């Protein structure tokens, strides 16, 4: 590459990084402060606090005044990141500690006074002044947004089209929103996009004559990225398994066509090594403490038990869910066609909602029949999933659609561009685009199969939707511009 081209590329990348930082920092300049940590965010802060202060990686829920036992419910990378920030940022540590003491309604007034010494009461409501923690988290989300532009370029889009993809992803609002919350999405979104991009680069080495060193390097880095993503959200490990199966199919294909096998064999080995090196220490820790050979423990059984509650939906409720779970206006639209008592079961917190039953009475019943929390996942798979697989698959479709509606209208509009692009890619054998989208597709289907599939779990579809829509919108815009110019020229 000529020096002038390198300078131009570097300048463009710097501009993209600066724009990414601006996008994720915009909410910080608004009047609305960052939201108070709740639900999952409290759990991650709680785990991080115990790791920083008691040197114990615990399950969420133990008050900060107690030393908890070791746990395996949650993947370690994100809480470890927060714990590292607590150890190095005294302001964040003090404010988060005060918040947790108050959240768990500490009865130890002396401990509460010490934890909240010098912390204004309003500072425990919003994390706006919690040291540099949000700054660091925003850097991760900014990197994720910049990777959208880079991914578009590596997939062959022009600079202008890649810029449109960048603007579309930024317009989703997800990068600014999750850059100011203590949720794993601030880490899984950039890591997931990195995994997608590395899959593209890895597949490119298998489709072109390159050195074995290049194959090893790209697939080794891809494996390490998969490991980091799995230690943040374990479902990424299933994406890796699918990639391994795809490489196995590639070996068979090359055998039939009598093509060299070495590149694919090296890719599979490098992928496994990179992944294994990253996750092995955590697997060893879980094996030593709990006899587990998995990233997380029995928590998966609870998530699956919540999910199978929706299998009790009637055919009419299933049809209603297609409308009710649409973003924003879905509940209002569904009420035009279905009675309120039927829709109540599809809501989150109605007394007889499937989500409430799956977390309450039905969960207790399944635990009793399974015999223990360790046996819950296996029992649910046998008795509730595979025993009624057609219903489970039908509900998976509806839940997958619910998971698609990321950032409300962004997902609703983006899917119009993304799904046809996947069909075209299959017909035209556009393997690199399918490789880029594979993690988002697998996670969308998997999370609808094993969890309640909320849009927050599927933010990885945002880069895919943005890149799919960009060239079409650009072409339409250019066509409209030419039409308008001709009309004005005729009038002139």
């Amino acid at each position: 590459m000529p020096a002038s081209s390198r300078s131009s590329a570097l300048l463009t990348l710097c501009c993209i990084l600066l724009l990414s930082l601006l996008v994720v920092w915009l909410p910080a300049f608004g009047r609305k402060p960052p939201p108070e940590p709740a639900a999952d965010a409290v759990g991650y802060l709680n785990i991080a606090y115990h790791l920083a202060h008691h040197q114990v990686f615990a399950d969420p829920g133990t008050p900060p005044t107690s030393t908890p036992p070791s746990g395996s419910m949650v993947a370690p990378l994100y809480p470890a990141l927060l714990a590292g920030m607590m150890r190095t940022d005294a302001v964040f540590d003090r404010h988060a500690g005060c918040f947790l003491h108050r959240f768990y309604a500490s009865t130890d007034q002396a401990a509460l006074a010490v934890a909240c010494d010098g912390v204004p009461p309003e500072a425990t409501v919003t994390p706006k002044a919690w040291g540099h923690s949000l700054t660091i988290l925003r850097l991760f989300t900014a990197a994720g947004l910049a990777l959208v532009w880079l991914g578009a370029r590596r997939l062959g889009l022009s600079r202008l089209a890649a810029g449109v993809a960048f603007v579309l992803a930024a317009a989703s609002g997800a990068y600014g929103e999750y850059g100011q919350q203590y949720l794993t999405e601030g880490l899984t979104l950039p890591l997931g996009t990195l995994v997608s991009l590395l899959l593209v680069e890895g597949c490119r080495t298998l489709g072109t004559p390159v050195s074995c060193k290049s194959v090893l390097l790209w697939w080794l880095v891809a494996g390490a990225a998969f490991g980091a993503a799995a230690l943040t959200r374990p479902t990424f490990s299933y994406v890796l398994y699918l990639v391994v199966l795809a490489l196995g199919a590639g070996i068979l294909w090359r055998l039939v066509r009598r093509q060299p096998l070495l590149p694919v064999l090296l890719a599979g080995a490098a992928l496994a090594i990179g992944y294994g090196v990253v996750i092995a220490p955590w697997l060893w820790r879980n094996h030593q403490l709990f006899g587990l050979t998995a990233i997380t423990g029995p928590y998966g059984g609870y998530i699956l038990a919540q999910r199978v509650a929706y299998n009790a939906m009637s055919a009419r409720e299933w049809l209603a869910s297609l409308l009710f779970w649409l973003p924003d206006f879905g509940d209002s639209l569904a009420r035009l066609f279905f009675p309120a008592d039927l829709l109540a079961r599809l809501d989150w917190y109605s007394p007889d909602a499937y989500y409430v039953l799956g977390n309450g009475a039905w969960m207790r019943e399944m635990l009793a029949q399974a015999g223990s929390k360790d046996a819950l996942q296996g029992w649910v798979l046998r008795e509730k999933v595979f025993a009624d697989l057609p219903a489970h698959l039908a509900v998976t479709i509806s839940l997958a659609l619910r998971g698609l509606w990321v950032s409300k209208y962004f997902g609703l509009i983006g899917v119009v561009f993304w799904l046809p692009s996947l069909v075209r890619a299959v017909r035209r054998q556009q393997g690199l685009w399918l490789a880029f989208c594979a993690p988002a597709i697998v996670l969308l289907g998997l999370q609808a199969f094993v969890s309640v599939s909320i849009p927050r779990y599927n933010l990885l579809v945002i880069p895919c939707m943005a890149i799919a829509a960009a060239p079409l919108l650009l072409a339409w815009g250019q066509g409209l511009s030419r039409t308008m110019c001709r009309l004005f020229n005729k009038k002139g």
Side-chain angles (χ1 to χ4, degrees):
M1 182 185 290
S4 59
S5 298
R6 286 198 299 269
S7 299
S8 176
L10 183 60
L11 179 61
T12 303
L13 183 58
C14 289
C15 290
I16 291 296
L17 288 170
L18 288 173
L19 288 172
S20 300
L21 291 170
L22 177 62
V23 168
V24 300
W25 250 277
L26 277 176
F29 301 125
R31 293 183 178 180
K32 188 177 179 181
E36 178 183 359
D40 289 349
V42 176
Y44 296 130
L45 288 168
N46 179 246
I47 296 171
Y49 184 87
H50 287 301
L51 185 58
H53 287 263
H54 302 128
Q55 290 73 55
V56 175
F57 191 95
D59 291 335
T62 303
T65 52
S66 305
T67 301
S70 295
S72 61
M73 183 180 290
V74 177
L77 190 57
Y78 189 71
L81 173 65
L82 295 180
M85 290 191 285
M86 288 180 182
R87 295 292 296 269
T88 56
D89 185 344
V91 176
F92 176 47
D93 183 46
R94 187 167 63 251
H95 283 64
C98 178
F99 168 82
L100 290 169
H101 278 78
R102 287 179 172 168
F103 180 87
Y104 287 98
S106 176
T107 56
D108 188 341
Q109 294 301 313
L112 180 61
V114 171
C116 295
D117 182 36
V119 179
E122 64 274 10
T124 61
V125 176
T126 172
K128 187 173 184 178
W130 287 17
H132 300 296
S133 58
L134 291 184
T135 299
I136 295 171
L137 296 178
R138 285 176 177 133
L139 290 175
F140 282 106
T141 53
L145 181 55
L147 285 172
V148 176
W149 180 87
L150 185 59
R153 291 290 289 144
R154 296 302 297 162
L155 286 164
L157 272 65
S158 67
R159 287 189 181 182
L160 186 56
V164 173
F166 174 87
V167 170
L168 291 173
S172 72
Y175 294 88
E177 178 183 356
Y178 290 100
Q180 58 176 352
Q181 298 187 57
Y182 297 101
L183 292 169
T184 55
E185 281 68 27
L187 199 52
T188 54
L189 189 50
L191 281 175
T193 310
L194 178 63
V195 164
S196 298
L197 180 56
L198 289 171
L199 279 180
V200 170
E201 298 302 331
C203 290
R204 200 190 305 275
T205 65
L206 299 180
T208 55
V210 296
S211 66
C212 292
K213 183 179 178 181
S214 295
V215 175
L216 284 170
L217 176 64
W218 282 114
W219 286 98
L220 188 68
V221 175
F226 263 115
L231 290 177
T232 307
R233 181 160 293 163
T235 45
F236 273 96
S237 60
Y238 294 96
V239 183
L240 178 103
Y241 302 152
L242 182 68
V243 173
V244 171
L245 287 175
L247 290 174
I251 291 173
L252 294 177
W253 176 255
R254 289 184 175 231
L255 275 173
V256 171
R257 303 191 66 179
R258 297 183 179 180
Q259 294 178 344
L261 299 180
L262 183 60
V264 185
L265 292 172
L266 289 176
L271 181 71
I273 291 170
Y275 179 73
V277 166
V278 173
I279 70 165
W282 186 252
L283 293 184
W284 175 255
R285 177 258 187 192
N286 281 351
H287 178 72
Q288 291 294 103
L289 292 177
F290 309 107
L292 289 172
T293 54
I295 294 174
T296 55
Y299 185 55
Y302 291 101
I303 299 299
L304 188 60
Q306 293 173 2
R307 162 62 182 85
V308 297
Y310 287 87
N311 290 357
M313 283 199 296
S314 65
R316 199 174 179 208
E317 287 172 333
W318 187 87
L319 289 172
S321 71
L322 301 179
L323 296 179
F324 188 79
W325 290 336
L326 285 171
D328 201 25
F329 62 88
D331 51 352
S332 301
L333 180 62
R335 289 190 184 96
L336 297 177
F337 303 98
F338 299 96
D341 58 337
L342 182 145
L343 298 176
R345 305 199 78 177
L346 303 176
D347 209 344
W348 287 109
Y349 296 113
S350 298
D352 58 346
Y354 288 118
Y355 183 73
V356 172
L357 293 171
N359 278 288
W362 292 2
M363 175 77 75
R364 291 190 293 272
E365 181 181 330
M366 285 185 274
L367 269 171
Q369 294 186 51
S372 69
K373 65 179 183 179
D374 294 328
L376 179 61
Q377 182 169 316
W379 184 89
V380 173
L381 282 172
R382 289 191 309 273
E383 303 297 328
K384 297 294 184 179
V385 176
F386 297 125
D388 196 14
L389 191 58
H392 193 84
L393 291 174
V395 174
T396 295
I397 294 171
S398 180
L399 287 171
L401 289 174
R402 176 165 78 174
L404 266 178
W405 313 137
V406 292
S407 298
K408 295 187 177 181
Y409 293 105
F410 179 88
L412 194 61
I413 297 170
V415 73
V416 175
F417 296 94
W418 184 41
L419 294 186
S421 79
L422 294 175
V423 175
R424 287 195 302 272
V426 172
R427 288 178 176 174
R428 300 174 184 177
Q429 298 182 349
Q430 296 172 333
L432 295 183
W433 177 235
L434 293 174
F436 185 87
C437 296
I441 296 169
V442 174
L443 291 175
L444 177 69
L446 177 66
Q447 284 161 169
F449 191 86
V450 302
S451 77
V452 295
S453 184
I454 58 178
R456 177 166 69 85
Y457 298 163
N458 295 296
L459 295 180
L460 198 54
V461 304
I462 291 176
C464 301
M465 291 178 175
I467 294 173
L472 287 175
L473 291 178
L474 182 60
W476 293 349
Q478 291 172 338
L480 180 62
S481 176
R482 287 192 295 267
T483 301
M484 296 298 292
C485 287
R486 285 195 297 267
L487 287 174
F488 281 117
N489 287 336
K490 285 181 181 180
K491 289 182 180 180

